[in-house]
Amino acid sequence: FDYPRIPGHEFSAEIVEIDEENAYGLKKGMIVTCNPYFNCGTCYSCRRGYVNACIHNETMGVQREGAFSDYFTMPVERLFDGAGIDPKELALIEPFCISYHGIKRADVQPGDKVLIVGAGTIGLLAAVSAKMRGAKVYMCDVLPEKLEFAKKFGIDGTICNTSPEVFEAGVKAVVGDDGFDIT
């Protein structure tokens, strides 16, 4: 992307102006979130239904202006009613969807031993998603303080990744020679 750029693709917002005759039932004053990825609709990926792989993708806050401003405009078809979800929680919908989608595609099953690599926002939400599906969830990261924070999310354990040797020893301590079912 280029600078300057207003960031923000994970957000909630209040509608301050809208055509009340829209087909989506959205009204002034509603709290909404959105799909922040703009696809072209005409490239090979889009024509095949893989809009996430659009070769002309424009993500809010990256290739186009983001939501971190007092006001911004948005196509109505990209907005979703917050349905009463707290605005701070509603802003987590986009990263949660990414995390949940990954866990769903991995077909995590109850009892699977899952290793999540990286204890950032997406990793933590992937861990929550895997726990929701009944997995035994472990997280690894290079920063011990991130792993301490991750424990607050009900994961089953952590593996520090400060060196290949430390990581390998941590994995063996959890799963022996079997390895993880899903990483």
Side-chain angles (χ1 to χ4, degrees):
F1 62 90
D2 55 359
Y3 292 99
R5 176 71 63 212
I6 298 170
H9 67 274
E10 301 165 351
F11 66 90
S12 61
E14 179 181 352
I15 297 175
V16 295
E17 187 176 315
I18 191 168
D19 176 2
E20 301 265 341
E21 301 300 319
N22 67 79
Y24 302 93
L26 299 170
K27 307 271 185 228
K28 181 179 178 178
M30 291 176 85
I31 304 298
V32 296
T33 191
C34 83
N35 177 350
Y37 306 103
F38 289 76
N39 60 293
C40 71
T42 59
C43 72
Y44 183 64
S45 294
C46 286
R47 290 192 320 266
R48 295 181 63 221
Y50 299 115
V51 298
N52 61 307
C54 174
I55 63 171
H56 303 291
N57 173 64
E58 290 188 1
T59 301
M60 291 178 67
V62 182
Q63 293 88 6
R64 61 171 48 215
E65 299 300 343
F68 293 170
S69 60
D70 291 334
Y71 300 96
F72 62 94
T73 60
M74 191 71 164
V76 67
E77 64 272 7
R78 304 198 79 70
L79 298 173
F80 298 95
D81 179 0
I85 298 172
D86 179 271
K88 289 181 180 178
E89 294 172 5
L90 189 60
L92 292 171
I93 294 292
E94 191 271 347
F96 181 77
C97 287
I98 290 170
S99 303
Y100 181 78
H101 179 70
I103 295 300
K104 184 178 175 185
R105 287 203 55 193
D107 195 27
V108 171
Q109 298 295 312
D112 281 347
K113 289 182 224 88
V114 175
L115 177 64
I116 304 292
V117 179
T121 303
I122 302 295
L124 290 171
L125 293 171
V128 168
S129 298
K131 287 298 292 179
M132 287 171 44
R133 293 176 75 104
K136 298 279 187 201
V137 179
Y138 297 83
M139 294 197 83
C140 72
D141 202 286
V142 297
L143 298 174
E145 58 272 17
K146 287 179 108 179
L147 293 175
E148 277 305 307
F149 182 73
K151 290 176 183 176
K152 296 178 182 181
F153 289 80
I155 61 173
D156 297 287
T158 62
I159 299 171
C160 200
N161 191 15
T162 53
S163 73
E165 298 78 22
V166 169
F167 176 71
E168 186 175 338
V171 169
K172 282 197 176 284
V174 174
V175 293
D177 292 328
D178 293 342
F180 284 92
D181 300 312
I182 297 169
T183 301

